């Protein structure tokens, strides 16, 4: 069985996951594949803590388990890149955090591989894209792909305010997953993980469609 983790809810989501694990085992499920989070055991964010508890419940459920620790979705980078193209500039921190953004399609392919091929019982896989990418990298890629100039401004004490949404801080209020790159997508799915460049190239028209900043 594949259990895709739920969003935050009034009931703590680890308990919702536990209910699903227990019900599956009671109904005869022998192996459960669970979509967890890359930061488990590596940071102390609420997201990591929720998934860490869920993993503990899964391991105690009595079923064989496979844990897929997904990174953040690269698909989120497409509208962000479109904003950068429209604004023509972006502000990034000098020490901006980077992570190996992974597409939803690659996460799905990895899960399908874990479900349909043998040898994944009681294993943990880090599901990531092929390279560490930051906002500055996204801006440079978007500029190359669209032919539109994007000025990348390194944030200093003198320009901390940035340039609106496209110039917000690198993580946009998010705690990024740790800077880990793995080959698990290829191992589970049989094909290499999609790069952010390839994703942006496939969505070039969306990058060009955003209205120009005023």
């Amino acid at each position: 069985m594949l259990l895709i983790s739920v969003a935050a809810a009034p009931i703590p989501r680890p308990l919702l996951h536990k209910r699903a694990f227990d019900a599956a085992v009671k109904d005869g499920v022998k192996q459960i594949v669970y979509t967890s989070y890359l930061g488990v055991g590596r940071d102390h964010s609420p997201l990591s803590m929720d998934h860490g508890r869920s993993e503990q419940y899964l391991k105690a459920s009595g079923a064989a388990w496979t844990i897929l620790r997904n990174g953040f979705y690269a698909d989120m980078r497409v509208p962000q890149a479109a904003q950068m193209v429209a604004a023509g500039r972006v502000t990034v921190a000098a020490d901006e955090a980077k992570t190996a953004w992974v597409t939803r399609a690659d996460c799905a392919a990895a899960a399908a591989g874990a479900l349909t091929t043998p040898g994944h019982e009681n294993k943990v896989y880090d599901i990531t894209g092929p390279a560490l990418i930051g906002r500055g990298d996204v801006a440079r890629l978007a500029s190359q792909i669209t032919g539109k100039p994007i000025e990348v401004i390194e944030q200093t004490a003198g320009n901390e305010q940035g340039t609106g949404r496209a110039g917000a801080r690198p993580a946009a209020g998010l705690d990024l997953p740790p800077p880990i790159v793995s080959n698990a997508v290829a191992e589970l799915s049989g094909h290499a993980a999609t790069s952010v460049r390839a994703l942006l190239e496939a969505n070039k028209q969306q990058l060009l469609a955003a209205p120009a900043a005023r």
Side-chain angles (χ1 to χ4, degrees):
M1 183 186 86
L2 172 65
L3 178 65
I4 298 174
S5 53
V6 300
I11 299 173
R13 57 182 163 187
L15 295 182
L16 294 176
H17 294 154
K18 182 179 186 302
R19 291 178 185 178
F21 298 148
D22 292 345
V25 172
K26 184 177 180 181
D27 216 33
V29 171
K30 302 300 183 185
Q31 182 178 357
I32 299 173
V33 177
Y34 171 64
T35 61
S36 186
Y37 171 59
L38 191 61
V40 171
R42 299 170 175 125
D43 66 47
H44 299 290
S45 68
L47 186 60
S48 294
M49 301 303 287
D50 273 4
H51 282 288
R53 285 181 61 198
S54 298
E55 289 185 9
Q56 292 173 4
Y57 287 139
L58 174 57
K59 291 176 181 179
S61 69
W65 48 266
T66 305
I67 293 171
L68 307 178
R69 290 181 176 165
N70 292 349
F72 276 4
Y73 298 131
D75 310 71
M76 299 162 58
R77 295 313 230 179
V78 175
Q80 183 186 64
Q83 289 180 4
M84 294 175 182
V85 172
R89 62 190 301 182
V90 63
T91 300
V92 303
D95 59 346
E96 71 162 327
K98 297 186 179 185
T99 193
W101 298 80
V102 60
T103 66
R104 289 185 174 95
D106 284 341
C107 290
L115 289 166
T116 59
T117 59
H120 308 299
E121 295 85 352
N122 303 336
K123 291 184 178 180
V124 177
Y125 294 94
D126 292 333
I127 308 300
T128 78
L132 299 176
I133 296 290
R135 283 166 55 86
D137 300 314
V138 172
R140 284 182 280 271
L141 290 171
S143 180
Q144 292 168 12
I145 290 166
T146 63
K148 302 289 187 179
I150 301 175
E151 182 183 8
V152 179
I153 304 167
E154 188 172 289
Q155 194 173 58
T156 66
N159 66 359
E160 290 170 346
Q161 296 304 313
T163 57
R165 290 187 65 191
R169 291 199 59 82
L174 298 174
D175 291 322
L176 290 178
I180 295 169
V181 178
S182 87
N183 196 44
V185 168
E187 181 179 348
L188 291 167
S189 72
H191 65 75
T194 305
S195 67
V196 170
R197 174 184 284 278
L199 179 67
L200 295 181
E201 287 175 341
N203 290 275
K204 179 178 178 179
Q205 293 308 309
Q206 184 175 337
L207 303 189
L208 291 168
R214 296 180 178 178

